């Protein structure tokens, strides 16, 4: 089974900062990687699918990149509403999540 | 607007059973793979099960195989999850979600682009 690891497990940044989260797969997963945002007490929301495609209605400050086993999720300018836990996912596996807070 | 509304959660004793339902609207239900995802309190997400549009193919996580059964009624736009032999570690919020794909892969769901609000299942004596 494929394992996904995320780093960091949590981070604290200031409004306007650039935030980067990495997701590493235990084997080559080509371009099949999605990213979700889960705000406290809410259901997850799909932000990015197939590595770099922005879901409809998602702000352009969110982006994704990578291939093979190493993937990156970026928030170009952190906003207060971005406080959430972010998960990567490839088929039947979710990463452990990265909790993002405002400093 | 796509909407998913789960129901059926609650408190159940270990070894007991529970049936979750999810009513869908806003899309052609029979055309999409539907899934269940759960989240134990304070923990991460886990795919539980998935079912193809017409119900002919299913996927189960190893942790629930043989105990949970997924089904759907396309005439009522409703997804179900029958949970038997429940254990304490099944305690979680259970989300109904619409898959981004149209087939059930052996490796699990493709992704989920619409989620319900979740229903809490607590297994405790």
């Amino acid at each position: 089974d494929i394992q996904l690891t995320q780093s960091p497990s949590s981070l604290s940044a200031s409004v306007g900062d650039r935030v980067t989260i990495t997701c590493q797969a235990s084997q080559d997963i080509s371009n099949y990687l999605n990213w979700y945002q889960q705000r406290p007490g809410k259901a997850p929301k799909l932000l990015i699918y197939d590595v770099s495609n922005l879901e409809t209605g998602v702000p352009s400050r969110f982006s994704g990149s990578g291939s093979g086993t190493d993937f990156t999720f970026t928030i170009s300018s952190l906003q207060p509403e971005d406080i959430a836990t972010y998960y990567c996912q490839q088929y039947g596996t979710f990463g452990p999540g990265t909790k993002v807070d405002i400093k | 607007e796509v909407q998913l509304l789960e129901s059926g959660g609650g408190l159940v004793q270990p070894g007991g059973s529970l049936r979750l339902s999810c009513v869908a609207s806003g899309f052609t239900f029979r055309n999409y793979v539907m899934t269940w995802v759960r989240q134990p309190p304070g923990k991460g997400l886990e795919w539980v099960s998935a079912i193809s549009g017409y119900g002919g193919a299913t996927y189960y996580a190893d942790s629930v195989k043989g105990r949970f059964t997924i089904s759907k009624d396309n005439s009522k736009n409703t997804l179900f999850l029958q949970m038997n032999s429940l254990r304490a570690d099944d305690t979680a919020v259970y989300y109904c979600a619409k898959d981004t794909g149209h087939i059930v892969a052996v490796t699990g769901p493709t992704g989920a682009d619409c989620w319900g609000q979740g229903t809490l299942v607590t297994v405790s004596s």
Side-chain angles (χ1 to χ4, degrees), chain A residues 1 32 34 36 38 41-46 49-50 55 87 89-97, chain B residues 37 39 43-47 59 62 95 100 105 107-118:
Chain A
D1 288 358
Y32 301 111
N34 304 322
Y36 299 82
Q38 186 177 31
K42 300 295 186 182
K45 175 185 176 183
L46 179 64
Y49 63 95
D50 295 346
E55 183 73 350
Y87 296 92
Q89 172 256 327
Q90 196 271 345
Y91 281 109
T93 303
F94 284 99
Chain B
V37 181
Q39 185 170 37
K43 296 189 177 180
L45 302 168
E46 179 191 18
W47 293 111
Y59 162 89
D62 288 343
Y95 294 101
T100 55
T107 48
T110 307
D113 58 6
C114 185
W115 299 65
Q117 85 290 348

Side-chain angles (χ1 to χ4, degrees), chain B:
Chain B
E1 180 191 4
V2 174
Q3 289 193 333
L4 300 170
L5 184 62
E6 303 98 334
S7 61
L11 175 64
V12 61
Q13 292 189 339
S17 298
L18 213 53
R19 189 194 200 202
L20 305 183
S21 300
C22 170
V23 178
S25 61
F27 64 103
T28 306
F29 184 67
R30 64 180 179 272
N31 286 353
Y32 288 89
V33 174
M34 295 297 296
T35 72
W36 289 98
V37 181
R38 69 183 180 183
Q39 185 170 37
K43 296 189 177 180
L45 302 168
E46 179 191 18
W47 293 111
V48 173
S49 186
I51 188 167
S52 61
Y54 286 91
T58 57
Y59 162 89
Y60 295 96
D62 288 343
S63 57
V64 306
K65 215 171 279 184
R67 300 187 299 122
F68 289 11
T69 302
I70 191 171
S71 61
K72 62 186 327 217
D73 183 340
N74 285 340
S75 69
K76 296 181 179 177
N77 284 2
T78 304
L79 176 72
F80 302 101
L81 186 68
Q82 177 67 44
M83 303 185 295
N84 298 331
S85 303
L86 283 161
R87 313 185 302 221
D89 61 0
D90 294 318
T91 295
V93 174
Y94 284 73
Y95 294 101
C96 163
K98 173 180 160 289
D99 199 297
T100 55
H102 296 274
I103 62 170
V104 176
V106 294
T107 48
T110 307
D113 58 6
C114 185
W115 299 65
Q117 85 290 348
T119 186
L120 177 63
V121 172
T122 303
V123 184
S124 174
S125 55

